[in-house]
Amino acid sequence: MQEEIYKSPKKRGKIAVFLSGRGSNFLALSDAVQSGSINADIALVFSNKKAAPGLLHAREMGLKTLYLRPKNFDSREAYDERLAEEAKKIEIDLICLAGYMKILTPGLCRKFKNKIINIHPALLPSFPGLHVQQKAIDWGVRFSGATVHFVEAEVDMGPIIIQAVVPVEQDDTEETLSARILKEEHKIYPEAVRLYFEGRLEVRERRVFIT
Ligand code: GRF
């Protein structure tokens, strides 16, 4: 069987950022867009949380925002179908999950195959899920970090684009380690999106090659 290869597009792209909270990664992406290092525009900031600070911030910045109330939909599938419609309507090229706390349905992942990326505050495949900074401390690992990866239907899985490593110190708390990791997140997330729209990401099976 021939190996399936996906190449990211070299173009001026349209990004949708999905978030549920603070939005510091959204701001890092937005800074990189404004400085011109990412060849794209943020065409939509979406949230499943009405009062997400990141969403409010995006609105203040004059970006197009959208909030969909999960309770108004019969199922997760119906919610994600609507979301996909909205994203297709404005011809979104890439969805950046940035602290989006709702698990995507397989249908949405399929529709946007190789077009959804996520940032996770651990060195995947170690520590998927939540409270992973505390888990890294509890396990006594010497290093943790952050991972930007393509999204597949399984949570925190998918081909890895960039990772950054930070030391875990003996006296770290969840807060201190999270802050050290977050600093790296703000560097590698914009970097990954920059490479994406420079047409430099090549996905072969589980591996991403930077060309
Ligand atoms: C980050 O730690 C990110 O890695 C994780 O959720 C957090 C979101 O933070 N997926 P923010 O909302 O971008 O500040």
Side-chain angles (χ1 to χ4, degrees), residues 12-23:
R12 180 146 193 97
K14 283 187 177 184
I15 301 173
V17 180
F18 288 12
L19 53 79
S20 304
R22 183 174 58 179

Side-chain angles (χ1 to χ4, degrees), residues 29-205:
L29 292 174
S30 156
D31 285 349
V33 163
Q34 270 167 20
S35 75
S37 74
I38 292 178
N39 186 24
D41 297 300
I42 298 180
L44 178 68
V45 177
F46 170 77
S47 187
N48 61 327
K49 297 275 178 208
K50 194 175 182 180
L55 186 70
L56 306 179
H57 210 130
R59 205 170 287 146
E60 278 164 18
M61 290 162 73
L63 293 171
K64 179 178 166 69
T65 61
L66 177 68
Y67 156 69
L68 293 176
R69 187 167 180 257
K71 285 200 175 126
N72 290 354
F73 293 80
D74 291 339
S75 63
R76 288 176 55 223
E77 285 72 22
Y79 188 85
D80 276 4
E81 259 166 44
R82 171 74 190 285
L83 195 43
E85 272 167 32
E86 296 288 341
K88 294 246 161 157
K89 232 192 302 182
I90 48 176
E91 298 175 329
I92 290 299
D93 297 296
L94 182 69
I95 295 173
C96 297
L97 305 183
Y100 183 61
M101 301 301 283
K102 200 164 186 300
I103 296 174
L104 301 184
T105 54
L108 185 62
C109 295
R110 251 194 324 272
K111 278 182 203 145
F112 286 86
K113 186 162 194 261
N114 294 315
K115 292 181 177 171
I116 310 178
I117 62 178
N118 181 42
I119 178 109
H120 182 75
L123 294 175
L124 292 173
S126 289
F127 306 121
L130 296 174
H131 303 294
V132 295
Q133 297 93 337
Q134 185 60 52
K135 282 179 194 156
I137 293 170
D138 293 345
W139 275 89
V141 294
R142 276 12 184 179
F143 296 94
S144 189
T147 304
V148 182
H149 64 97
F150 283 99
V151 170
E152 287 174 351
E154 231 172 307
V155 177
D156 298 327
M157 292 288 272
I160 290 169
I161 303 171
I162 305 185
Q163 292 187 306
V165 178
V166 307
V168 180
E169 309 289 357
Q170 304 232 356
D171 57 356
D172 262 331
T173 61
E174 187 174 8
E175 288 68 36
T176 58
L177 180 58
S178 300
R180 194 174 307 123
I181 293 173
L182 193 64
K183 245 194 204 168
E184 298 304 315
E185 293 184 34
H186 295 163
K187 292 182 203 156
I188 64 172
Y189 210 2
E191 173 70 6
V193 178
R194 179 174 74 79
L195 292 168
Y196 187 92
F197 287 113
E198 284 177 355
R200 292 175 59 195
L201 299 184
E202 210 171 280
V203 188
R204 299 177 184 209
E205 307 290 331

